[in-house]
Amino acid sequence: MKNASAFLFILFTSLFTMKSQAQDVGYYKCYGGISLSPNNFYSLAFQGKRGIDKKALYGYEKTEEVSKNQIWLFFDTPSSGLMKLNIQKTKASFHIYIFKEKNGMLCDELASGNAKFIFSEQSTKDLNSEFIFVEESLRYGVVLVAKEGIKDS
């Protein structure tokens, strides 16, 4: 009977540990990013994360510090064309970065340095109608970065 109790305790402890670790993934990290679908409206908010991203967007940002207060978005392109970015923000400024890759594994490609960095812009309040040419059958990642601690949508 003691072995069964010890086994249940170990099983419960293992499940609790895995659940606790899984809760840390959110859209403020690459692996928890949101997959977007065409012609939709999304209302997202910065979660107010504090601290500096020591990886500096996997090494792609080389000139300035990057806050951990990020929103990661992904979309796959069915055809080549122009993508219209229209990001409206009311209070805080943010920085936008766009990456692309062809294997559907953008986070892995960023980590290995194989994703292509294609766009960066510091915005004071919004990004209204920026057009980006996109290629067919690629995965694009859009990363919005605000100053640490800012909670805004």
Side-chain angles (χ1 to χ4, degrees):
M1 188 67 173
K2 286 184 179 181
N3 287 342
S5 297
F7 175 73
L8 288 175
F9 177 73
I10 292 170
L11 179 63
F12 175 76
T13 305
S14 298
L15 290 174
F16 180 76
T17 303
M18 287 189 288
K19 183 172 174 58
S20 297
Q21 290 172 352
Q23 290 177 345
D24 192 36
V25 177
Y27 63 77
Y28 59 92
K29 291 183 176 182
C30 187
Y31 288 100
I34 298 169
S35 289
L36 304 176
S37 55
N39 301 317
N40 276 321
F41 173 80
Y42 296 86
S43 179
L44 302 168
F46 286 103
Q47 297 178 340
K49 293 291 176 186
R50 296 197 175 275
I52 300 300
D53 176 4
K54 291 180 176 62
K55 294 180 185 176
L57 294 175
Y58 295 95
Y60 285 87
E61 175 55 78
K62 297 180 185 342
T63 60
E64 59 185 73
E65 284 187 333
V66 178
S67 158
K68 287 184 178 180
N69 199 13
Q70 303 171 4
I71 297 175
W72 285 79
L73 309 167
F74 303 103
F75 61 95
D76 300 309
T77 54
S79 61
S80 296
L82 290 176
M83 174 188 70
K84 179 182 177 184
L85 286 176
N86 188 358
I87 301 171
Q88 296 177 345
K89 188 139 179 57
T90 57
K91 294 181 184 175
S93 64
F94 63 94
H95 199 123
I96 183 170
Y97 300 88
I98 301 178
F99 303 93
K100 71 177 180 179
E101 64 83 36
K102 61 184 174 184
N103 298 320
M105 304 295 289
L106 185 60
C107 298
D108 293 338
E109 295 295 312
L110 283 165
S112 66
N114 294 325
K116 185 171 182 186
F117 175 66
I118 61 168
F119 182 81
S120 173
E121 183 173 313
Q122 178 71 39
S123 177
T124 55
K125 301 265 184 201
D126 60 11
L127 185 64
N128 193 5
S129 299
E130 183 73 37
F131 288 93
I132 306 287
F133 178 77
V134 294
E135 298 174 57
E136 180 179 2
S137 300
L138 294 180
R139 170 157 274 211
Y140 286 82
V142 177
V143 186
L144 307 174
V145 181
K147 292 184 180 174
E148 63 180 300
I150 299 291
K151 289 184 177 182
D152 194 9
S153 58

